[in-house]
Amino acid sequence: MSLAIQLGIIVGYLLLALVIGLLAYRLTDRTAEDFYLASRTVGTVVLLFTTFATLLSAFTFFAGPNMAYAWGPEWILVMGLMDGIIFAVLWYVVGYKQWLLGQRYDYVTLGEMLGDRFASSGLRGLVAGISLVWLFPYVMLQQVGAGTALEALTDGAVPYAMGAGLITLFMILYVVVAGFRGVAWTDTLQGAFMLLTTWLAFVWVLVAVGGLEAATGTLGDSPATAEFLALGSANYTPQWMLSTAITIGFGVAMFPQVNQRFFVAGSKRVVKRSFALWPILCVLLFVPSFLLGVWARGLGLEMGESGNILPVILNEYTPVWFAAVVIAGAMAAMMSSSDSMLLSGSSYFTRDLYRPFVEADLSDRREDLIARAGVVCFAVATFLASLYNPATLFELGDAAFGGFAQLALPVILALYWRRTTRSGLIAGIAGSQAFYLSSLFVPPLPGSYAGWTAGVVGMLLGAALTVTVSWATTSTVADRRSRYFDVSSDD
């Protein structure tokens, strides 16, 4: 009976998300711009929550509590405070400038903007190709999270492959049908639902265990757990904490599904309100979810075969139906990340790879159809890869964040430094990516340098290459440069 309740709640929620997507379909124009960007008419609440829900994924709901459980509560500082602030700043530095350019020149993707800035289809394809490479493991991470969550919640009655397949199916259905408008509407529901269920779980567990002292009282009883609570422990060196916060914060700004949201706001007021409110939302979600992982350690709970601590503490201290509701919230987080990734990945493929290199005179209607087919293909490919489950949730997410972070500094230079050249930007992007990939897959190369991760070192290398090569080369598109630096908030 409990299994039926659990599955009924989760499937019911997924069906509700699908219904919202179908309602959005009735307002969707059959154009590529509306499919990708909802015709650039998104308001503050929807923009804030769709960005919020898009970023809060299996990495947040499962990898985050797992990190707090294994290493200590400092993870709240890394994600809840530092990353909330770093991304808010980048939303203004990168996002507002992109919004201004998008309003004037109708850009849909980052590659399209950079390709036009430097008159280079090759650069456009390079940015799109790199983005799709790093997007793949992050979509896969959501499917891995869904499969492991349902398997743990139901004690194996729902196998891993079925859970991962279920979330993939629902994502395909409402993304293909409704596009960005449907994604944004469901994200708004899912963002609010995530906040509510996380705080309810936080309070419920706190009451069930007898208060804060009971939840954390045993953490310092032994040398091992005392180290767990020590700020700046061996697991959380200052270099590692700053490196992780920097790569995640800068990586987020380059995620296709986030970067495209820089183009969708209906007005400059929407953009400015959204990035100002962003850190508040981060703290409201990260603090309770990560503390649940910390409490599980103090209460002596074991991780279990699933490798995720959140379902364990929920099954231990909350009723069956409530645990299912919270896992539905986690599924919402995973769906709201994956649906946007699929949509953005599709736009990067159709606009930056297919249109420039395969069919230059692609009609708007045909592009719309190819984009929807691309969503299906990408989702199925990541699902098949997720069945092999090659790494932990943290490893998958961390690798993707670092890969996207390599794009950030060269892109910022291209937006603000007039002397940036096409050769300089390509050298900065390609060089940092080569360095970072080598640090992941070539064993003799170190993964850190004096405590700083290869992700941060690669970012600095990319900036240095962009500046050095730009100084040494001459721009061939001087006539295109001035218009990128003349846009202002008055445009």
Side-chain angles (χ1 to χ4, degrees), residues 53-389:
T54 292
L55 287 177
L56 303 177
S57 61
F59 189 84
T60 302
F61 265 91
F62 295 115
N66 292 349
M67 290 287 289
Y69 171 85
W71 288 4
E74 290 98 324
W75 189 242
I76 296 171
L77 294 176
V78 175
M79 288 290 289
L81 296 179
M82 287 191 280
D83 270 320
I85 294 169
I86 288 171
F87 179 64
V89 172
L90 289 171
W91 197 331
Y92 180 78
V93 172
V94 178
Y96 187 43
K97 184 67 175 284
Q98 281 193 213
W99 179 79
L100 290 171
L101 290 167
Q103 288 292 303
R104 177 173 287 189
Y105 304 116
D106 296 326
Y107 297 134
V108 172
T109 69
L110 176 65
E112 188 175 13
M113 183 185 75
L114 294 173
D116 183 49
R117 158 79 165 83
F118 294 98
S120 173
S121 58
L123 174 61
R124 183 175 177 178
L126 176 66
V127 171
I130 289 171
S131 299
L132 289 173
V133 165
W134 292 118
L135 198 63
F136 194 92
Y138 208 74
V139 175
M140 191 172 73
L141 184 154
Q142 315 312 314
Q143 293 157 324
V144 172
T148 56
L150 283 176
E151 187 176 39
L153 183 69
T154 60
D155 291 325
V158 176
Y160 167 82
M162 184 180 294
L166 181 67
I167 196 171
T168 302
L169 175 63
F170 274 88
M171 284 188 306
I172 289 174
L173 286 174
Y174 74 77
V175 174
V176 168
V177 166
F180 187 88
R181 197 179 303 276
V183 166
W185 285 16
T186 54
D187 282 354
T188 302
L189 164 72
Q190 290 170 170
F193 186 61
M194 280 186 282
L195 278 175
L196 177 63
T197 56
T198 302
W199 274 99
L200 285 175
F202 179 85
V203 173
W204 199 307
V205 171
L206 193 63
V207 171
V209 302
L212 185 60
E213 185 176 351
T216 61
T218 61
L219 283 174
D221 289 350
S222 68
T225 53
E227 173 71 10
F228 179 80
L229 289 176
L231 187 64
S233 64
N235 291 322
Y236 288 107
T237 64
Q239 297 96 318
W240 185 89
M241 291 177 70
L242 286 170
S243 293
T244 303
I246 289 168
T247 53
I248 291 176
F250 279 81
V252 158
M254 294 296 109
F255 265 49
Q257 73 275 18
V258 174
N259 194 270
Q260 277 194 307
R261 277 159 173 74
F262 296 155
F263 292 125
V264 304
S267 69
K268 65 181 179 181
R269 181 175 296 179
V270 170
V271 179
K272 292 180 177 181
R273 283 177 177 172
S274 299
F275 70 69
L277 292 170
W278 176 258
I280 299 172
L281 277 184
C282 286
V283 171
L284 284 175
L285 184 73
F286 291 149
V287 169
S289 62
F290 298 166
L291 277 179
L292 286 171
V294 174
W295 291 350
R297 178 69 173 266
L299 295 166
L301 298 179
E302 297 294 331
M303 181 79 78
E305 294 182 3
S306 72
N308 291 319
I309 196 61
L310 187 62
V312 175
I313 193 170
L314 293 175
N315 281 333
E316 184 71 22
Y317 292 105
T318 67
V320 167
W321 65 268
F322 184 76
V325 168
V326 178
I327 294 301
M331 297 281 279
M334 289 176 270
M335 284 193 355
S336 60
S337 292
S338 294
D339 56 18
S340 299
M341 292 180 215
L342 293 174
L343 186 64
S344 297
S346 174
S347 69
Y348 275 48
F349 172 75
T350 55
R351 296 187 74 89
D352 297 332
L353 294 175
Y354 189 87
R355 181 188 284 273
F357 300 107
V358 179
E359 192 175 349
D361 58 347
L362 183 66
S363 69
D364 203 48
R365 176 61 175 165
R366 180 166 166 78
E367 180 182 348
D368 179 63
L369 293 174
I370 292 174
R372 295 172 197 270
V375 168
V376 177
C377 294
F378 201 78
V380 171
T382 54
F383 168 67
L384 293 175
S386 76
L387 298 180
Y388 293 94
N389 196 10

Side-chain angles (χ1 to χ4, degrees), residues 463-488:
L465 286 171
T466 302
V467 171
T468 302
V469 176
S470 291
W471 275 111
T473 56
T474 302
S475 175
T476 59
V477 287
D479 59 318
R480 293 172 179 259
R481 289 188 301 170
S482 61
R483 63 179 186 166
Y484 282 84
F485 302 99
D486 294 338
V487 292
S488 70

